[in-house]
Amino acid sequence: MKYLDEYRDERIARGLAEQVAAVTTKPWVLMEICGGQTHTLMRYGIDELLPRGLELVHGPGCPVCVTPLETIDKAIQLALRPDVILVSYGDMLRVPGSSSDLFRAKAQGADVRLAYSPTEAVKIARSNPDRQVVFLAIGFETTAPANAMAAWQAKREGLTNFSMLVSHVLVPPAIRALMVSESNRVQGFIAPGHVCTVMGCGEYEDLVRDFRVPIVVGGFEPVDLLEAILMLVKQLEAGEAKLENQYVRSVSYQGNVPAQQIMKEVFEVADQKWRGIGAIPRSGLRLREEFGNFDANRVFDLGEFTVEEPAECISAQVLQGLKKPTECPVFGMRCTPENPLGAPMVSSEGACAAYYQYRRHAVVS
Amino acid sequence: MCLAIPGKILEAQENDGLRVGRVQFGGVVRQVSLDFVPEAAVGDYVMVHVGFAISKVDAVEAERTYQLLQEMGTLVDELNPGDDHPPK
C-alpha cells in the first residue's frame, strides 16, 4: 500500500459510479468544499460518470481565491519596498490585485521568493538579518498550524526582522453562511478531508444538526470522492442527515490535537473578509496579541482600505456554487490562467482553472 | 493549497527540540516536520502538507476500506463481463 495509486483504480471508480447511479432516484445538488477536490473531479471526469440530475457544485475552498484583494495589494506594496523580502506560496504569484500582481512586482525588481513550507520563510529571515522578511501566510485550517509554527519559531528565536501578512479562513462559518443564504441550492456537502485531518469532525456535527444537512468528510482521490458521493446520495435518498467520515485513513474524530494546540497558541478567531463573498463573522484567524510583533500590518503600519473587484469577474457566484465557470461570458476568452481577471482562474485549486485545464471543450462547443 | 500527500518516514530525529524526519514520496525524499505526529515512527506513512506531517495514515483502516472497495470493483466486473476495465 502506498495510499495513492490504489485510490485511483479505474475499476473501483467505475464500480462506485455504477452504485451511485443505482441508488439515485431523484435530482440532488452536492457541493465539494475544497478546490483540491474540484480539480480531482474535473481531471478524472468524475462528474461525467454520475447519473443525470446529480449535480456537483464547487465550493469556496480555495484559499488563494478567497484571499482579499486588499491583502494582495498590501503584499505587492510591501514587496516593492527595497528593505523587504516577500515570501509566498507559489500559487499567490499570479493572483491579480487591484492593479498588479506579485509576479509583475518581481519583474519590476521586487524581491519575491517562493516557499514550499513556512519554515523556509523563517530560514530566509535568519540568514538575512539586514532585511525585513514578510511571509504571506494564507490558508485554511490545514495550513494554519504550519503557518503558526513559523511565528512560534520566530518568537522563540527572537527574530526581529520576520513578520506575517495573515489571511486565514475557516471552513465551518463559510458552510453556515452558504446554508443561511436565500440562494442556497446545496443539499449535501463533501467536507474537506485535510481541514478535518487537523480540526476533527466536531464542528461539522454541529452543522448537520443545525441545518439537517448530510455531510461526508471526503478524501482527494477519485475513489475517495466517488465513495463520499455514494454515501451522501444514500443518506439523501433515505431522508437522513448524518455526519459520516469517508476519509478514515487520515481523519479522526478529534483531529490532530498537537496541531490544534499550536494554532490556538498563535492565532485567535476573528471576523474575516472573503474575496468575492464578503465579510463572514468569526470566519478567520489573526495573530494573538502575544505575537503582535510579527504582524506585518503593525510592523509596517499598513492601515485599512477597501478596493473593488473588477465588474466583469463573476467569481463571487462561482465561489458560492451559484454559477459554473463556463457560464461566465469572459471565461477562456478575456480571462485565462495567463491573463486572469479573478483568482479562481489562477490557483491550482480554483474552479475556473480546473474547468479551463480539463474542460475546454465546454466553451468551444 | 490544502493538498497533502502520503509519504513514508525513512528516518526521524530530534533537532533543537523539534522533531524532523526524512520522508519518501515516490522517488523523492524531503525533510518534513514531525512535530504534529508524535505517534508516527520510521516505516509509518504520514500525510504531508507544506512540509508538515498532519496525520499518520491509519494503515488498518486504509487496508480494510481498500479491500471493501476492491471486492466491490470485482463484483462489478463479474456483473459486466463484457466491460473492458482492466485493473491498473
Side-chain angles (χ1 to χ4, degrees):
Chain A
M1 294 280 285
K2 291 202 175 72
Y3 309 111
L4 207 58
D5 295 348
E6 306 90 317
Y7 297 94
R8 293 176 184 166
D9 187 315
E10 188 187 336
R11 195 171 48 110
I12 297 177
R14 287 196 183 270
L16 282 165
E18 285 179 27
Q19 287 216 3
V20 172
V23 298
T24 307
T25 67
K26 299 188 196 80
W28 299 111
V29 179
L30 311 180
M31 174 182 273
E32 82 283 356
I33 292 291
C34 180
Q37 292 170 330
T38 308
H39 271 252
T40 302
L41 293 171
M42 291 298 128
R43 182 173 173 192
Y44 294 93
I46 290 171
D47 52 333
E48 291 175 345
L49 289 177
L50 298 177
R52 233 172 227 285
L54 181 56
E55 188 187 351
L56 290 169
V57 294
H58 319 304
C62 162
V64 170
C65 304
V66 298
T67 298
L69 204 45
E70 291 83 358
T71 306
I72 315 272
D73 282 359
K74 283 179 184 177
I76 295 167
Q77 188 189 323
L78 287 174
L80 288 168
R81 287 173 59 125
D83 57 333
V84 165
I85 301 173
L86 188 103
V87 185
S88 167
Y89 293 117
D91 259 15
M92 291 302 284
L93 231 58
R94 279 193 184 272
V95 176
S98 58
S99 60
S100 183
D101 56 50
L102 285 168
F103 192 74
R104 271 186 255 176
K106 193 172 159 68
Q108 288 164 31
D111 194 345
V112 179
R113 302 191 194 177
L114 300 187
Y116 156 73
S117 168
T119 50
E120 288 168 35
V122 180
K123 205 184 283 176
I124 293 170
R126 219 180 275 139
S127 47
N128 291 276
D130 54 333
R131 306 276 300 279
Q132 283 291 328
V133 173
V134 182
F135 174 54
L136 183 46
I138 66 148
F140 277 85
E141 294 95 321
T142 316
T143 319
N147 288 352
M149 273 301 273
W152 186 86
Q153 258 183 305
K155 189 177 183 193
R156 189 178 74 148
E157 292 178 29
L159 293 179
T160 54
N161 66 326
F162 177 81
S163 61
M164 309 207 304
L165 189 55
V166 175
S167 175
H168 260 289
V169 280
L170 304 171
V171 171
I175 296 186
R176 212 165 267 281
L178 282 168
M179 286 308 292
V180 299
S181 158
E182 280 177 17
S183 45
N184 175 55
R185 300 165 55 224
V186 180
Q187 295 162 295
F189 289 94
I190 302 176
H194 293 140
V195 165
C196 295
T197 295
V198 170
M199 300 305 289
C201 301
E203 296 170 296
Y204 297 85
E205 231 165 30
D206 297 345
L207 291 165
V208 166
R209 193 192 51 233
D210 294 351
F211 298 104
R212 244 198 81 72
V213 64
I215 300 182
V216 174
V217 179
F220 294 78
E221 299 302 331
V223 165
D224 289 323
L225 286 163
L226 278 160
E227 196 185 13
I229 291 166
L230 178 62
M231 290 161 86
L232 277 175
V233 173
K234 278 185 178 167
Q235 282 197 49
L236 287 163
E237 291 281 346
E240 293 175 336
K242 294 185 292 193
L243 177 76
E244 291 184 286
N245 180 10
Q246 179 276 327
Y247 202 32
V248 277
R249 66 185 183 278
S250 184
V251 176
S252 65
Y253 183 80
Q254 74 282 3
N256 186 321
V257 176
Q260 291 167 21
Q261 273 164 353
I262 188 81
M263 213 172 130
K264 278 186 201 137
E265 192 181 329
V266 173
F267 293 123
E268 61 189 359
V269 174
D271 296 343
Q272 172 76 26
K273 185 174 177 184
W274 296 54
R275 184 175 190 168
I277 297 175
I280 304 177
R282 299 182 59 75
S283 69
L285 297 172
R286 67 172 170 223
L287 287 163
R288 284 187 184 276
E289 189 52 40
E290 301 90 292
F291 289 86
N293 292 341
F294 300 99
D295 183 350
N297 277 299
R298 196 182 291 187
V299 174
F300 297 94
D301 197 14
L302 295 174
E304 289 306 321
F305 55 90
T306 312
V307 281
E308 296 299 320
E309 287 286 335
E312 273 184 304
C313 180
I314 64 156
S315 63
Q317 286 136 297
V318 172
L319 287 165
Q320 294 172 83
L322 301 174
K323 281 203 173 153
K324 293 275 160 64
T326 42
E327 290 173 60
C328 176
V330 292
F331 175 86
M333 319 283 278
R334 298 214 312 102
C335 183
T336 61
E338 292 74 35
N339 283 299
L341 285 181
M345 186 53 101
V346 186
S347 169
S348 57
E349 288 176 311
C352 300
Y355 275 72
Y356 187 86
Q357 223 176 323
Y358 308 116
R359 247 357 108 69
R360 293 185 72 168
H361 61 267
V363 248
V364 187
S365 61
Chain B
M1 273 254 2
C2 278
L3 196 73
I5 51 170
K8 187 180 184 178
I9 305 179
L10 301 179
E11 248 176 66
Q13 58 184 29
E14 287 277 326
N15 204 343
D16 191 19
L18 300 171
R19 194 158 173 259
V20 292
R22 291 198 328 120
V23 174
Q24 184 177 19
F25 307 94
V28 183
V29 177
R30 293 194 91 134
Q31 183 167 305
V32 165
S33 162
L34 302 177
D35 273 321
F36 303 149
V37 288
E39 75 281 17
V42 170
D44 284 338
Y45 275 82
V46 282
M47 298 302 294
V48 177
H49 170 69
V50 298
F52 286 77
I54 55 169
S55 66
K56 179 183 134 177
V57 177
D58 187 330
V60 178
E61 274 299 342
E63 183 68 36
R64 196 183 60 83
T65 323
Y66 184 67
Q67 289 307 331
L68 276 174
L69 290 170
Q70 218 172 16
E71 281 162 27
M72 212 160 67
T74 318
L75 198 66
V76 169
D77 275 3
E78 281 164 14
L79 291 173
N80 304 289
D83 276 14
D84 183 25
H85 306 311
K88 276 183 192 168

